[in-house]
C-alpha cells in the first residue's frame, strides 16, 4: 500500500441498488395502465435488443450526439414497445415519459441489505465517500429517495461527466473532485472491466464485489474480491494506519 486510504468511490447499480422487478415486469405494468396486454418475456427480449442498439449507436446517453439521459431513455422505451408492435406515437411518448419518471423514485429500486451498514462503517473510519456511476442525472434523486445520499460527499455520473466507465477519465474526474490521489483511494463495484480493471489502471485500489461467486476461479487476487459489502470496511481498515 502506497499511503493511507482517505477516500472510497462506489458504483451504484448492482452494488448499492438493484431494480426491484425485471424491466419486462415494470414496462408491462405501464403498458397495462395504457390498456395494452403484453407478455413480460416478449418485453424483456425487446428491451435487451433496444438497449443494445441504442448503447451502440448512441453511447453514454448520446451526449456527443446532442441527446441527454431523458431523451436517450425515452428512445429506448419507445423502441422497446415498437418491437412489441405498439405503433401509436402519442402512446409511445406517454409511456416513455411515465417510465422515465417512475424510475426517479424509490418504488422501483431496492437497496441491498448490506449497503447501509457498510457505508456507515466506512464513514466512521473517517473516509470520504463518493459515487462513480454510469448513470444519468436522476441518480442524485434516486439516492435521496432511497436514503443513501447523505453518505456521499460527491457524485460523478457518466451523463454529467461526458465519459463512461470503463474509460478511466471518469475516475480522474472523481479524483479531481475529492482532491485525493489514486494511491489513497479505493473503489468498489460489481463489474470486472468497468469497475475493477478500470479503477486499477489508474492506481486506485479497486475491489470487485462478487455476490454470486462468479470469479472464484479467476486470476483476481482473493484480497481484491469480496462476496458482500459487509467485508469491505475490515479490508479497508488494514490500510488506514
Amino acid at each position: 500500500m502506497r499511503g493511507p486510504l482517505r477516500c472510497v468511490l462506489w458504483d451504484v447499480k448492482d452494488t448499492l441498488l438493484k431494480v426491484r422487478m425485471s424491466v419486462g415486469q415494470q414496462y408491462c405494468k405501464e403498458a397495462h395502465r395504457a390498456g395494452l396486454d403484453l407478455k413480460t418475456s416478449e418485453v424483456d427480449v425487446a428491451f435487451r435488443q433496444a438497449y443494445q442498439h441504442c448503447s451502440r449507436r448512441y453511447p453514454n446517453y448520446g451526449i456527443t450526439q446532442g441527446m441527454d439521459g431523458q431523451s436517450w431513455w425515452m428512445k429506448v422505451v419507445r423502441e422497446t414497445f415498437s418491437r412489441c408492435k405498439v405503433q401509436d406515437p402519442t402512446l409511445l411518448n406517454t409511456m416513455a415519459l411515465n417510465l422515465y419518471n417512475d424510475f426517479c423514485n424509490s418504488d422501483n429500486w431496492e437497496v441491498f441489505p448490506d449497503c447501509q451498514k457498510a457505508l456507515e462503517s466506512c464513514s466512521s473510519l473517517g473516509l470520504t465517500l463518493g459515487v462513480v456511476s454510469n448513470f444519468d442525472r436522476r441518480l442524485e434523486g434516486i439516492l435521496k429517495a432511497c436514503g443513501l445520499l447523505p453518505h456521499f460527499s460527491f457524485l460523478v455520473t457518466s451523463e454529467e461527466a461526458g465519459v463512461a466507465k470503463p474509460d478511466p477519465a471518469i475516475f480522474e474526474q472523481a479524483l479531481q473532485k475529492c482532491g485525493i490521489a489514486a494511491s489513497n483511494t479505493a473503489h468498489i463495484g460489481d463489474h470486472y472491466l468497468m469497475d475493477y480493471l478500470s479503477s486499477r489502471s489508474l492506481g486506485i485500489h479497486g475491489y470487485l464485489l462478487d455476490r454470486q461467486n462468479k470469479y472464484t476461479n479467476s486470476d483476481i487476487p482473493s484480497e481484491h474480491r469480496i462476496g458482500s459489502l459487509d467485508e469491505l470496511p475490515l479490508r479497508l481498515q488494514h490500510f488506514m494506519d
Side-chain angles (χ1 to χ4, degrees):
M1 204 70 180
R2 289 150 287 174
L5 279 182
R6 296 173 55 203
C7 177
V8 185
L9 304 175
W10 301 74
D11 175 49
V12 174
K13 186 175 179 294
D14 297 326
T15 297
L16 302 176
L17 304 172
K18 64 178 179 179
V19 290
R20 196 174 293 278
M21 298 185 292
S22 75
V23 171
Q25 288 174 313
Q26 299 190 63
Y27 280 36
C28 280
K29 184 178 178 181
E30 175 60 31
H32 182 73
R33 286 200 294 261
L36 302 174
D37 185 18
L38 301 177
K39 293 182 179 178
T40 299
S41 57
E42 178 187 11
V43 176
D44 272 326
V45 171
F47 170 78
R48 285 194 295 271
Q49 294 171 341
Y51 182 87
Q52 290 168 2
H53 172 254
C54 290
S55 295
R56 287 193 301 268
R57 188 166 182 181
Y58 311 103
N60 193 28
Y61 306 114
I63 301 300
T64 60
Q65 294 142 297
M67 300 175 72
D68 61 13
Q70 179 170 344
S71 60
W72 189 89
W73 274 113
M74 289 182 66
K75 183 174 182 61
V76 170
V77 175
R78 288 195 301 269
E79 186 170 322
T80 297
F81 285 123
S82 293
R83 290 172 181 266
C84 298
K85 300 182 172 54
V86 180
Q87 302 299 331
D88 184 340
T90 301
L91 182 58
L92 289 170
N93 280 328
T94 297
M95 291 193 296
L97 182 59
N98 288 344
L99 281 165
Y100 180 84
N101 290 329
D102 283 348
F103 277 90
C104 292
N105 59 55
S106 61
D107 293 344
N108 289 323
W109 297 97
E110 181 177 344
V111 178
F112 282 102
D114 56 1
C115 169
Q116 288 277 13
K117 184 178 178 181
L119 290 169
E120 291 168 0
S121 296
C122 288
S123 292
S124 70
L125 292 173
L127 294 163
T128 297
L129 308 186
V131 163
V132 178
S133 176
N134 285 356
F135 218 103
D136 57 71
R137 64 181 70 250
R138 292 174 295 178
L139 182 59
E140 182 174 349
I142 291 169
L143 290 174
K144 183 178 181 180
C146 293
L148 301 181
L149 188 61
H151 293 291
F152 300 108
S153 298
F154 62 91
L155 311 178
V156 179
T157 66
S158 61
E159 178 178 4
E160 293 165 328
V163 63
K165 296 183 286 187
D167 191 327
I170 192 171
F171 286 102
E172 291 174 341
Q173 289 195 31
L175 294 174
Q176 290 171 3
K177 274 202 171 189
C178 66
I180 297 173
S183 59
N184 303 115
T185 303
H187 174 67
I188 178 68
D190 70 297
H191 197 283
Y192 175 69
L193 172 60
M194 294 186 181
D195 293 306
Y196 178 71
L197 289 184
S198 180
S199 63
R200 284 199 163 259
S201 73
L202 288 178
I204 293 170
H205 303 284
Y207 291 87
L208 181 67
L209 177 60
D210 185 17
R211 295 185 188 278
Q212 307 300 323
N213 291 317
K214 294 187 296 184
Y215 295 96
T216 52
N217 296 319
S218 72
D219 58 355
I220 301 172
S222 59
E223 62 269 23
H224 295 173
R225 187 177 62 85
I226 60 174
S228 166
L229 292 178
D230 292 332
E231 302 172 37
L232 185 64
L234 185 59
R235 297 282 182 99
L236 301 181
Q237 195 168 8
H238 288 308
F239 308 115
M240 295 296 295
D241 300 326

